[in-house]
Amino acid sequence: MDPRQQLLTDWVRQFSGLEQAMAEPVSGDASFRRYFRVWRAAGEVQPTPLIVMDAPPAHEDCKPFVAIARHWHRQGVMVPEILQADLDQGFLLLQDFGDSLMLDQLTEASADQLYRGALTELVHIQQLSAPDQYPLPPYDAALLDREMALFPDWLLEQYLGLELGNCERALLDTAFAFLRESALAQPEVTVHRDYHSRNLLVQPGTNRPGVIDFQDAVTGPVTYDAVSLLKDCYIRWPEQTLCDWLEFFRVQSAEAGLHRADPDTFRQWFELMGMQRHLKAAGIFARLCLRDGKQGYLADIPRTVGYLVTASRRQPALRHFHEWLVGVVMPAIEQRIGPAPFAEQAPE
């Protein structure tokens, strides 16, 4: 047991029913946070599972998570209830939503119901105000630019070893400006910012997902979270299926008063927002490998950049960027990692 896990175990044992608790590792994520499961006895016939989050204060700030979780929980969003918190040590005791990630439960038969449930929950989240004690940061031009810069900085130069000259830099600057302007033109809502199949947990007896990993929420573009879910970096769906789900979300979010966009406008917002997110995600996956030693995310880079290739092909204003992706970037990725899984097949 490492020192942090021992500290966490000692902390959780002060609470009723947890005096003999043993912290069992559940998972880590792309940050420094780790999660453990403990069991509360308290005289119950069936012990209750709970989750303990370990967020080292030197690397993680729990305050946004706590503020957002408490506010969203009061507003009826299915986020874990916070049962105990020690912000100085970086420990939280949380309601346990189980281990049934949406990604692991997706099949051709289950997908439609799961996605429509997740999109309905998303519309609920988008309508929420910011917590009283934590104004959500804006998804502004500076943040959009910092995220897109991860693509050349970490994937192209540091991981793939590509040399970017003045022409390539100008090409990227033009593409980034186009994507930034589209994002900033969209109506603003509450944005989860990582709303995808690995951060949604299937709950027994309801079509509503348990929502986790929301601490980076901001106020930003109405299509951002829909992109995270429907153009997921971890699974790809057939085009017509994606279009059906997107139209379902467009209608629901319009009826909620979040925008007044027609299908073509909304789809254009969605496509360009997706490019911004996939530039960011591809760069983060490379950074997780190079900086943090987490090589498992490399396998998701070909799919993620594959989304960029598909989306840029549909944009006349990004023709040169598309040609460069196809002619330079994708061959480098295929040589270093492997081909993009372009086949649009639903899981068995």
Side-chain angles (χ1 to χ4, degrees):
M1 187 180 298
D2 64 68
R4 286 287 301 178
Q5 186 175 349
Q6 184 62 62
L7 277 174
L8 179 148
T9 301
D10 293 341
W11 175 75
V12 84
R13 284 179 175 176
Q14 69 182 296
F15 304 118
S16 175
L18 294 168
E19 292 85 355
Q20 304 299 319
M22 295 297 296
E24 304 171 1
V26 176
S27 68
D29 59 23
S31 72
F32 290 94
R33 290 182 298 272
R34 297 186 300 173
Y35 299 90
F36 299 85
R37 179 168 283 119
V38 295
W39 298 84
R40 170 175 275 163
E44 300 175 17
V45 176
Q46 183 68 34
T48 302
L50 302 172
I51 292 294
V52 189
M53 178 196 292
D54 172 23
H59 301 288
E60 300 288 338
D61 181 6
C62 284
K63 295 184 186 69
F65 181 95
V66 171
I68 295 167
R70 286 175 172 163
H71 179 59
W72 287 12
H73 189 268
R74 286 193 297 268
Q75 299 301 317
V77 179
M78 289 195 69
V79 295
E81 182 181 2
I82 297 176
L83 306 174
Q84 301 288 344
D86 185 331
L87 300 185
D88 292 335
Q89 293 195 85
F91 298 145
L92 299 177
L93 184 65
L94 307 170
Q95 178 184 4
D96 188 354
F97 280 163
D99 299 316
S100 296
L101 292 179
M102 179 175 170
L103 179 62
D104 299 334
Q105 302 300 315
L106 288 170
T107 65
E108 192 169 359
S110 69
D112 191 64
Q113 181 178 4
L114 290 175
Y115 274 97
R116 289 175 188 266
L119 290 167
T120 299
E121 191 75 7
L122 175 56
V123 173
H124 182 186
I125 292 170
Q126 290 187 326
Q127 297 176 74
L128 299 180
S129 61
D132 291 339
Q133 305 302 317
Y134 181 69
L136 296 180
Y139 218 146
D140 57 16
L143 181 54
L144 290 163
D145 286 343
R146 283 199 304 273
E147 291 182 342
M148 289 187 286
L150 296 168
F151 182 72
D153 293 350
W154 285 96
L155 178 61
L156 301 184
E157 293 185 317
Q158 296 198 50
Y159 185 76
L160 296 177
L162 297 177
E163 294 185 8
L164 302 179
N166 292 336
C167 290
E168 289 82 8
R169 290 287 180 187
L171 190 68
L172 286 166
D173 288 346
T174 300
F176 290 0
F178 186 64
L179 299 177
R180 181 196 320 120
E181 290 171 10
S182 174
L184 295 175
Q186 293 187 36
E188 292 187 341
V189 297
T190 292
V191 175
H192 176 292
R193 207 169 161 209
D194 220 7
Y195 196 82
H196 57 70
S197 63
R198 286 184 176 175
N199 284 334
L200 300 173
L201 289 150
V202 177
Q203 300 299 292
T206 178
N207 194 35
R208 299 178 62 197
V211 180
I212 60 173
D213 208 18
F214 43 77
Q215 63 280 339
D216 293 325
V218 295
T219 299
V222 67
T223 63
Y224 188 91
D225 284 335
V227 161
S228 303
L229 182 66
L230 300 182
K231 290 195 173 189
D232 197 325
C233 294
Y234 309 114
I235 188 170
R236 184 165 178 161
W237 293 93
E239 180 71 13
Q240 187 55 55
T241 302
L242 185 151
C243 289
D244 291 344
W245 290 333
L246 181 63
E247 179 61 9
F248 172 81
F249 173 70
R250 185 194 71 82
V251 170
Q252 278 213 331
S253 52
E255 289 177 348
L258 299 176
H259 67 87
R260 290 188 285 182
D262 59 51
D264 290 341
T265 300
F266 202 76
R267 180 58 188 262
Q268 177 73 347
W269 287 347
F270 177 81
E271 289 291 307
L272 298 181
M273 193 75 256
M275 292 187 65
Q276 190 277 343
R277 175 168 172 81
H278 293 128
L279 287 165
K280 161 189 160 181
I284 287 176
F285 292 155
R287 185 176 68 183
L288 285 167
C289 170
L290 295 172
R291 189 190 69 183
D292 304 330
K294 298 180 179 181
Q295 298 194 20
Y297 291 92
L298 290 179
D300 300 308
I301 290 177
R303 179 186 301 105
T304 302
V305 180
Y307 279 125
L308 283 169
V309 171
T310 301
S312 61
R313 184 173 61 237
R314 298 167 177 158
Q315 303 295 327
L318 297 176
R319 179 170 62 87
H320 296 301
F321 179 67
H322 170 77
E323 292 171 350
W324 178 68
L325 284 176
V326 172
V328 177
V329 178
M330 284 307 301
I333 290 172
E334 290 174 3
Q335 183 177 10
R336 186 79 189 270
I337 303 173
F342 280 107
E344 296 181 338
Q345 296 296 322
E348 297 295 334

